[in-house]
Amino acid sequence: MTAATAPRTPTVAIARVLRSLGLTQGGDFRVTGDYRNGERTGTYVLVLSGKARDLIAAQADEIERLSAETPFPFHVSLRYLGGPRPVPSVANYGSRVRDTPEAAPEAEVEAAPAVAAQPAAEPAPEAEPTPPPAGTPAGQRFQTARERAWTNQQARALNWSTRQADLVTAAAAGHLVYDTDGTLVHRPAPARNGRTVREGRINPLLNAGLLVVTGPEADGRRRVRTTNDGREALLIWRLCRPTPAEKDQAQEREPLRPLLGGQESTRRSRAFAEDMRRREAERTALYAAFDELHAWEAREDRLRGAWAAVNRILNPSSKRPTGWVPTDDEIAEHRIAPDIVAELRADAGHPIPKPDIPATTTAPPQALPPLPAAPLDVEQLDLFASS
């Protein structure tokens, strides 16, 4: 692909490639973006016409080659969605898929040779650690080897440094407080001034659903408390005693995983699954709209062909007048097929408008509210004391 200047964005790059193949931007295709959590994760092409669908499928390798010559390579996937013609998709993210048409039934019969000798059975792999029943306290999970393995896996996945573990311990004891001026202070005793804590250090713990900032108290201060996940995680940390991660100040501000099997991890998984179901429903509706549009275009091509033949129209851009029906003499003279005549007469009585393609949504998944603080429990807090 030759161009005066190199494209500066993926949208410009792929649009140039498709236009160089004879497609019209806005009529045959539209370039848009995919968004997640409000951020653009990639660029893809909406195929708007049957002509574009067939051309992209036929020139898939050429499109990839031309886009690879730019700073923004794209891949073309071909999928067979229950029909003989592939459905192409063009994107610069995700995996490249190249389906093949289903094999004929005869091929399946020929591909059934004599039963080969069965190989010796391999030993069953060791079972992966699985969580115990929901609600089982960490201190009661060391009954079986599988429960011990699961609890140790939870402890390793926390990936806390010693200072991060100390912050969770301080929050569990009620010693982390936001003063009225917004300063975060570690104050072991009410009479002491305490030590200032940089807010960036607790953000990963807050975002992982382990800590939560409560509402203002009577004196206007807000306290940082542990959630049920945070309390459970700290108890697991004390019981398993994993090797703390060595982190500098910048690494302590990096994201942390929620507690494996905890409330935050579970509700995030459910929210992700719901978002995937929503996206799948939108994708199914989009493909159905494309099928409807392609069927409408094919029908319109047939009807326009009959009108152009009767009126000797050579301009391919001219449109068939709405409600046009050939006379009996024109039908006989131009040998118009009966099924096309029937479609023309039906369209004259009830014209079918061109189907619309639904707009793609860019709304991020709904943000989850913070988990509530765990209830204060003096006996439980005693477990957090250093031994």
Side-chain angles (χ1 to χ4, degrees):
M1 181 181 66
T2 60
T5 59
R8 297 184 179 180
T9 64
T11 299
V12 174
I14 192 60
R16 285 183 182 179
V17 170
L18 297 179
R19 288 199 304 267
S20 70
L21 298 177
L23 298 179
T24 303
Q25 188 170 1
D28 294 322
F29 71 92
R30 186 167 74 242
V31 184
T32 185
D34 189 22
Y35 293 80
R36 182 176 294 275
N37 295 329
E39 296 183 359
R40 183 162 179 155
T41 60
T43 302
Y44 68 99
V45 176
L46 281 176
V47 183
L48 303 178
S49 68
K51 168 190 172 182
R53 178 192 60 190
D54 296 339
L55 182 60
I56 292 174
Q59 300 291 333
D61 294 335
E62 180 68 5
I63 293 172
E64 291 183 342
R65 184 187 70 80
L66 292 174
S67 68
E69 296 176 356
T70 73
F72 308 101
F74 279 71
H75 60 74
V76 182
S77 295
L78 300 177
R79 297 177 174 86
Y80 288 84
L81 304 177
R85 301 165 68 181
V87 176
S89 59
V90 185
N92 66 349
Y93 63 100
S95 57
R96 176 179 181 265
V97 178
R98 289 291 180 89
D99 290 345
T100 56
E102 296 183 0
E106 292 77 11
E108 298 180 359
V109 176
E110 295 176 359
V115 178
Q118 297 292 334
E122 297 182 358
E126 183 178 354
E128 291 289 334
T130 55
T136 304
Q140 301 177 14
R141 294 183 186 172
F142 288 85
Q143 305 302 318
T144 67
R146 177 171 294 185
E147 292 173 353
R148 289 195 297 271
W150 167 250
T151 308
N152 286 322
Q153 182 176 342
Q154 285 181 298
R156 290 191 301 270
L158 292 174
N159 194 32
W160 290 349
S161 67
T162 301
R163 289 186 295 269
Q164 287 174 325
D166 291 343
L167 282 176
V168 180
T169 303
H175 296 162
L176 281 182
V177 180
Y178 275 99
D179 280 339
T180 53
D181 60 358
T183 304
L184 179 62
V185 179
H186 178 203
R187 185 177 291 114
R192 299 181 182 178
N193 292 330
R195 177 171 52 87
T196 301
V197 178
R198 293 184 179 180
E199 190 173 11
R201 293 183 55 199
I202 70 165
N203 286 336
L205 297 165
L206 292 170
N207 295 334
L210 303 173
L211 301 182
V212 64
V213 181
T214 61
E217 299 179 354
D219 56 2
R221 295 186 174 94
R222 294 179 299 149
R223 199 171 299 274
V224 179
R225 300 253 305 271
T226 55
T227 63
N228 287 330
D229 280 359
R231 172 168 293 188
E232 183 80 355
L234 187 54
L235 180 56
I236 291 172
W237 181 268
R238 291 292 188 182
L239 291 172
C240 298
R241 297 182 181 274
T243 302
E246 296 183 3
K247 299 182 181 181
D248 55 27
Q249 292 184 0
Q251 291 171 329
E252 285 187 343
R253 288 162 171 77
E254 295 176 353
L256 292 172
R257 294 179 61 180
L259 174 66
L260 290 183
Q263 295 179 2
E264 182 68 15
S265 176
T266 300
R267 69 176 189 160
R268 286 188 187 184
S269 297
R270 291 174 179 170
F272 178 79
E274 181 61 30
D275 184 56
M276 288 298 101
R277 284 192 293 268
R278 177 183 62 82
R279 289 174 176 266
E280 181 63 26
E282 290 180 352
R283 185 162 47 248
T284 300
L286 186 63
Y287 284 143
F290 280 142
D291 290 341
E292 185 180 357
L293 176 61
H294 295 155
W296 183 90
E297 289 175 340
R299 174 179 176 274
E300 186 61 24
D301 288 342
R302 293 194 303 270
L303 303 187
R304 186 197 173 281
W307 167 77
V310 170
N311 295 277
R312 294 178 174 83
I313 302 298
L314 300 179
N315 184 2
S317 300
S318 58
K319 296 184 178 180
R320 175 181 62 90
T322 303
W324 179 84
V325 177
T327 63
D328 292 340
D329 292 341
E330 290 172 337
I331 294 172
E333 178 183 355
H334 296 278
R335 298 180 181 179
I336 303 177
D339 56 340
I340 296 181
V341 174
E343 285 183 325
L344 284 165
R345 290 172 177 170
D347 184 76
H350 299 282
I352 301 177
K354 184 177 181 178
D356 293 327
I357 299 299
T360 55
T361 60
T362 58
Q366 185 177 3
L368 298 175
L371 291 173
L376 293 177
D377 186 343
V378 176
E379 296 181 1
Q380 183 79 356
L381 292 176
D382 289 342
L383 294 174
F384 300 150
S386 302
S387 57

